[in-house]
Amino acid sequence: MTVKLSIIYYSSTGTVDAMARRAAQTGEKLGAEVRLRHVAETAPQEAIEEQDDWAKHREEMEGEPVAEPEDLAWADVVLLGTPTRFGSSASQLQAFIDTLGPLWQEGGLADKVYAGFTATQTEHGGQESTLISLCTAFMHWGGIIVAPGYTDEVKFADGNPYGAGKVTGETTDLEEPDLDAIDHLVTRALHVAERLAG
Ligand SMILES: Cc1cc2nc3c(=O)[nH]c(=O)nc-3n(C[C@H](O)[C@H](O)[C@H](O)COP(=O)(O)O)c2cc1C
């Protein structure tokens, strides 16, 4: 069986984008069919232009495929990624989630494997609350939440049993514990989906 993996995410300045790309690479290496989709930007252009990093990343994303509800309908495994915004997910990702009502109503979000990833600037900056907020949506959808827990020793390095999380404090570059945590999350989610398909 080829597992279908959709990675749906928002990123202002590229950190979550790098995490999403790593997740996609790992998924492909493991033989999954992968869709990597960023959600549409909803912030006013003036706000984006005031911040060089944000404007630069928007330019880099020109022409990249934008998430549609069908990308969830298609998938066996869905990973949602978002920067942390005051302890919760970014409004851009939430705006996309808010378009999923019709798909939810027809049962198109249920029985899939779900997991989340995030980035914060600070170590205690709200990764858990952000990831739990994603889980709230997964529960409404009848999703099968795959928590990484501490099911591998790499999780003792990133210390996040709720999902994968990058702290950008020292550097926005993904470091070994970040990469390991993403790889572990993708691997675990794909294996659970394979076992469910039986
Ligand atoms: C409006 C706003 C709110 C933020 N809130 C938090 C927060 O609650 N905790 C934190 O540690 N970082 C916070 N940050 C920092 C971002 O979460 C962090 O820089 C993230 O890694 C950026 O990801 P990106 O590069 O994918 O956009 C906030 C940033 C912005 C712009």
Side-chain angles (χ1 to χ4, degrees):
M1 177 219 169
T2 305
V3 179
K4 293 177 182 152
L5 166 65
S6 273
I7 300 159
I8 313 270
Y9 70 101
Y10 175 74
S11 178
S12 291
T13 56
T15 313
V16 174
D17 179 66
M19 297 176 83
R21 286 174 197 279
R22 174 68 177 205
Q25 278 171 8
T26 304
E28 276 165 5
K29 270 190 206 153
L30 293 170
E33 201 179 329
V34 178
R35 288 189 186 178
L36 179 66
R37 301 284 187 269
H38 73 287
V39 300
E41 182 57 85
T42 58
Q45 193 57 29
E46 313 84 79
I48 296 171
E49 282 166 8
E50 273 173 24
Q51 295 180 45
D52 292 347
D53 288 356
W54 195 356
K56 181 170 169 278
H57 186 63
R58 291 296 1 128
E59 269 177 39
E60 288 165 358
M61 295 305 286
E62 280 282 328
E64 295 277 335
V66 176
E68 300 287 345
E70 199 275 322
D71 295 314
L72 281 92
W74 169 85
D76 306 303
V77 178
V78 178
L79 300 185
L80 293 189
T82 175
T84 288
R85 294 284 184 258
F86 307 121
S88 196
S89 56
S91 61
Q92 290 86 345
L93 183 69
Q94 194 58 48
F96 173 73
I97 287 174
D98 290 354
T99 68
L100 297 175
L103 186 57
W104 164 78
Q105 208 154 15
E106 64 192 42
L109 294 170
D111 303 337
K112 297 172 190 295
V113 166
Y114 292 95
F117 56 98
T118 190
T120 54
Q121 191 164 3
T122 56
E123 198 169 355
H124 299 285
Q127 294 198 353
E128 285 99 329
S129 50
T130 300
L131 293 167
I132 289 170
S133 78
L134 295 178
C135 288
T136 304
F138 301 154
M139 286 189 271
H140 278 253
W141 299 344
I144 298 149
I145 299 170
V146 172
Y150 294 95
T151 56
D152 187 283
E153 64 183 32
V154 300
K155 294 307 296 179
F156 290 93
D158 89 318
N160 190 335
Y162 304 86
K166 163 72 182 166
V167 178
T168 63
E170 296 284 315
T171 171
T172 57
D173 294 340
L174 298 182
E175 297 168 292
E176 202 178 324
D178 309 318
L179 297 170
D180 287 347
I182 296 164
D183 291 353
H184 173 261
L185 188 69
V186 173
T187 305
R188 184 165 161 81
L190 292 179
H191 284 169
V192 170
E194 275 169 353
R195 285 164 68 183
L196 284 170

